[in-house]
Short mmCIF file of all heavy atoms in Angstrom, two decimals:
data_model
loop_
_atom_site.label_atom_id
_atom_site.label_comp_id
_atom_site.label_asym_id
_atom_site.label_seq_id
_atom_site.Cartn_x
_atom_site.Cartn_y
_atom_site.Cartn_z
N MET A 1 88.17 -146.19 -24.13
CA MET A 1 87.98 -144.94 -23.38
C MET A 1 87.94 -143.73 -24.31
O MET A 1 87.01 -142.95 -24.31
CB MET A 1 89.11 -144.79 -22.37
CG MET A 1 89.21 -143.41 -21.83
SD MET A 1 89.51 -143.34 -20.07
CE MET A 1 88.01 -143.84 -19.34
N ILE A 2 88.96 -143.64 -25.17
CA ILE A 2 88.97 -142.57 -26.17
C ILE A 2 89.32 -143.18 -27.53
O ILE A 2 90.25 -143.99 -27.62
CB ILE A 2 90.02 -141.49 -25.82
CG1 ILE A 2 89.64 -140.81 -24.51
CG2 ILE A 2 90.14 -140.47 -26.95
CD1 ILE A 2 90.71 -139.91 -23.98
N ARG A 3 88.56 -142.79 -28.52
CA ARG A 3 88.86 -143.30 -29.86
C ARG A 3 88.77 -142.15 -30.85
O ARG A 3 87.78 -141.41 -30.89
CB ARG A 3 87.87 -144.40 -30.25
CG ARG A 3 88.29 -145.19 -31.48
CD ARG A 3 87.59 -146.54 -31.50
NE ARG A 3 86.13 -146.38 -31.57
CZ ARG A 3 85.48 -146.08 -32.70
NH1 ARG A 3 86.13 -145.93 -33.84
NH2 ARG A 3 84.17 -145.95 -32.69
N VAL A 23 93.82 -142.73 -33.09
CA VAL A 23 94.38 -143.21 -31.82
C VAL A 23 93.28 -143.86 -31.00
O VAL A 23 92.15 -143.39 -31.00
CB VAL A 23 94.98 -142.04 -31.00
CG1 VAL A 23 95.49 -142.54 -29.67
CG2 VAL A 23 96.09 -141.35 -31.75
N THR A 24 93.63 -144.92 -30.33
CA THR A 24 92.72 -145.47 -29.34
C THR A 24 93.45 -145.47 -28.01
O THR A 24 94.59 -145.93 -27.92
CB THR A 24 92.31 -146.90 -29.69
OG1 THR A 24 91.68 -146.87 -30.98
CG2 THR A 24 91.32 -147.45 -28.67
N ILE A 25 92.85 -144.91 -27.00
CA ILE A 25 93.45 -144.87 -25.68
C ILE A 25 92.60 -145.73 -24.76
O ILE A 25 91.37 -145.54 -24.68
CB ILE A 25 93.55 -143.43 -25.17
CG1 ILE A 25 94.42 -142.61 -26.13
CG2 ILE A 25 94.14 -143.39 -23.76
CD1 ILE A 25 94.26 -141.13 -25.99
N ASN A 26 93.27 -146.68 -24.12
CA ASN A 26 92.51 -147.63 -23.31
C ASN A 26 92.26 -147.11 -21.91
O ASN A 26 92.95 -146.21 -21.43
CB ASN A 26 93.27 -148.95 -23.23
CG ASN A 26 93.44 -149.55 -24.61
OD1 ASN A 26 92.50 -149.56 -25.40
ND2 ASN A 26 94.65 -150.02 -24.89
N ASP A 27 91.30 -147.75 -21.28
CA ASP A 27 91.00 -147.47 -19.89
C ASP A 27 92.25 -147.77 -19.05
O ASP A 27 92.95 -148.74 -19.32
CB ASP A 27 89.85 -148.40 -19.48
CG ASP A 27 88.96 -147.74 -18.45
OD1 ASP A 27 89.27 -146.58 -18.08
OD2 ASP A 27 87.98 -148.36 -18.02
N ARG A 28 92.53 -146.93 -18.06
CA ARG A 28 93.64 -147.11 -17.11
C ARG A 28 95.02 -146.95 -17.74
O ARG A 28 96.03 -147.27 -17.13
CB ARG A 28 93.56 -148.48 -16.43
CG ARG A 28 92.32 -148.62 -15.59
CD ARG A 28 92.16 -150.04 -15.10
NE ARG A 28 91.17 -150.03 -14.03
CZ ARG A 28 91.48 -150.15 -12.74
NH1 ARG A 28 92.72 -150.31 -12.36
NH2 ARG A 28 90.54 -150.11 -11.84
N GLU A 29 95.05 -146.45 -18.94
CA GLU A 29 96.35 -146.26 -19.59
C GLU A 29 97.03 -144.99 -19.10
O GLU A 29 96.36 -144.05 -18.62
CB GLU A 29 96.15 -146.18 -21.10
CG GLU A 29 97.44 -146.39 -21.88
CD GLU A 29 97.20 -146.50 -23.39
OE1 GLU A 29 96.02 -146.59 -23.80
OE2 GLU A 29 98.17 -146.49 -24.12
N PHE A 30 98.35 -144.97 -19.17
CA PHE A 30 99.11 -143.74 -18.94
C PHE A 30 99.78 -143.41 -20.26
O PHE A 30 100.55 -144.21 -20.79
CB PHE A 30 100.17 -143.94 -17.84
CG PHE A 30 100.73 -142.65 -17.31
CD1 PHE A 30 100.61 -142.32 -15.96
CD2 PHE A 30 101.38 -141.74 -18.15
CE1 PHE A 30 101.13 -141.12 -15.47
CE2 PHE A 30 101.89 -140.55 -17.67
CZ PHE A 30 101.76 -140.23 -16.32
N LEU A 31 99.46 -142.26 -20.81
CA LEU A 31 99.95 -141.93 -22.15
C LEU A 31 100.69 -140.60 -22.14
O LEU A 31 100.21 -139.62 -21.58
CB LEU A 31 98.75 -141.83 -23.10
CG LEU A 31 99.08 -141.52 -24.55
CD1 LEU A 31 99.54 -142.77 -25.27
CD2 LEU A 31 97.86 -140.93 -25.26
N LEU A 62 84.94 -141.43 -23.39
CA LEU A 62 84.15 -142.15 -22.37
C LEU A 62 82.88 -142.74 -22.99
O LEU A 62 81.80 -142.67 -22.41
CB LEU A 62 83.80 -141.24 -21.19
CG LEU A 62 84.96 -140.63 -20.42
CD1 LEU A 62 84.47 -139.61 -19.40
CD2 LEU A 62 85.76 -141.72 -19.71
N ARG A 157 87.76 -139.89 -13.81
CA ARG A 157 88.09 -141.16 -14.48
C ARG A 157 89.20 -140.96 -15.48
O ARG A 157 89.90 -141.87 -15.85
CB ARG A 157 86.85 -141.68 -15.22
CG ARG A 157 85.87 -142.37 -14.31
CD ARG A 157 84.76 -142.97 -15.14
NE ARG A 157 85.27 -143.97 -16.08
CZ ARG A 157 84.55 -144.44 -17.10
NH1 ARG A 157 83.33 -144.00 -17.29
NH2 ARG A 157 85.05 -145.35 -17.91
N LEU A 158 89.27 -139.70 -15.97
CA LEU A 158 90.25 -139.39 -16.99
C LEU A 158 90.94 -138.10 -16.59
O LEU A 158 90.29 -137.12 -16.22
CB LEU A 158 89.52 -139.21 -18.34
CG LEU A 158 90.33 -138.68 -19.51
CD1 LEU A 158 91.46 -139.61 -19.88
CD2 LEU A 158 89.41 -138.46 -20.72
N ASN A 184 97.18 -143.08 -11.51
CA ASN A 184 96.96 -144.00 -12.61
C ASN A 184 96.83 -145.44 -12.09
O ASN A 184 95.95 -146.19 -12.52
CB ASN A 184 98.13 -143.88 -13.60
CG ASN A 184 98.02 -144.88 -14.73
OD1 ASN A 184 98.87 -145.74 -14.88
ND2 ASN A 184 96.95 -144.77 -15.51
N GLY A 187 93.51 -146.37 -11.00
CA GLY A 187 92.46 -146.60 -11.99
C GLY A 187 92.11 -145.44 -12.88
O GLY A 187 91.21 -145.54 -13.70
N THR A 188 92.79 -144.33 -12.72
CA THR A 188 92.49 -143.18 -13.58
C THR A 188 93.35 -143.23 -14.84
O THR A 188 94.55 -143.49 -14.78
CB THR A 188 92.77 -141.87 -12.83
OG1 THR A 188 91.93 -141.81 -11.68
CG2 THR A 188 92.49 -140.67 -13.72
N THR A 189 92.71 -143.02 -15.98
CA THR A 189 93.44 -142.91 -17.23
C THR A 189 94.13 -141.54 -17.26
O THR A 189 93.49 -140.54 -16.92
CB THR A 189 92.46 -143.01 -18.41
OG1 THR A 189 91.64 -144.16 -18.23
CG2 THR A 189 93.21 -143.10 -19.73
N VAL A 190 95.40 -141.52 -17.59
CA VAL A 190 96.14 -140.25 -17.58
C VAL A 190 96.73 -139.97 -18.96
O VAL A 190 97.36 -140.84 -19.55
CB VAL A 190 97.28 -140.27 -16.53
CG1 VAL A 190 98.05 -138.95 -16.56
CG2 VAL A 190 96.74 -140.54 -15.14
N ILE A 191 96.46 -138.80 -19.47
CA ILE A 191 97.13 -138.36 -20.70
C ILE A 191 97.91 -137.10 -20.36
O ILE A 191 97.34 -136.13 -19.86
CB ILE A 191 96.12 -138.04 -21.82
CG1 ILE A 191 95.21 -139.25 -22.06
CG2 ILE A 191 96.84 -137.64 -23.10
CD1 ILE A 191 94.12 -138.99 -23.07
N ARG A 206 103.41 -145.68 -22.75
CA ARG A 206 103.23 -145.44 -24.19
C ARG A 206 103.39 -143.95 -24.49
O ARG A 206 102.91 -143.11 -23.72
CB ARG A 206 101.84 -145.91 -24.63
CG ARG A 206 101.54 -145.57 -26.10
CD ARG A 206 100.54 -146.53 -26.71
NE ARG A 206 99.17 -146.23 -26.37
CZ ARG A 206 98.22 -145.91 -27.28
NH1 ARG A 206 98.51 -145.85 -28.56
NH2 ARG A 206 97.00 -145.69 -26.88
N ILE A 208 103.00 -140.97 -27.56
CA ILE A 208 102.61 -140.58 -28.91
C ILE A 208 103.31 -139.28 -29.22
O ILE A 208 103.25 -138.32 -28.44
CB ILE A 208 101.08 -140.37 -28.99
CG1 ILE A 208 100.35 -141.69 -28.81
CG2 ILE A 208 100.70 -139.73 -30.34
CD1 ILE A 208 98.85 -141.55 -28.84
#
Side-chain angles (χ1 to χ4, degrees):
Chain A
M1 165 138 288
I2 296 171
R3 193 159 61 78
V23 177
T24 301
I25 300 163
N26 298 317
D27 212 0
R28 296 172 165 255
E29 196 172 351
F30 195 120
L31 181 80
L62 300 173
R157 280 186 61 195
L158 171 62
N184 176 243
T188 299
T189 310
V190 179
I191 305 176
R206 174 153 80 118
I208 293 178

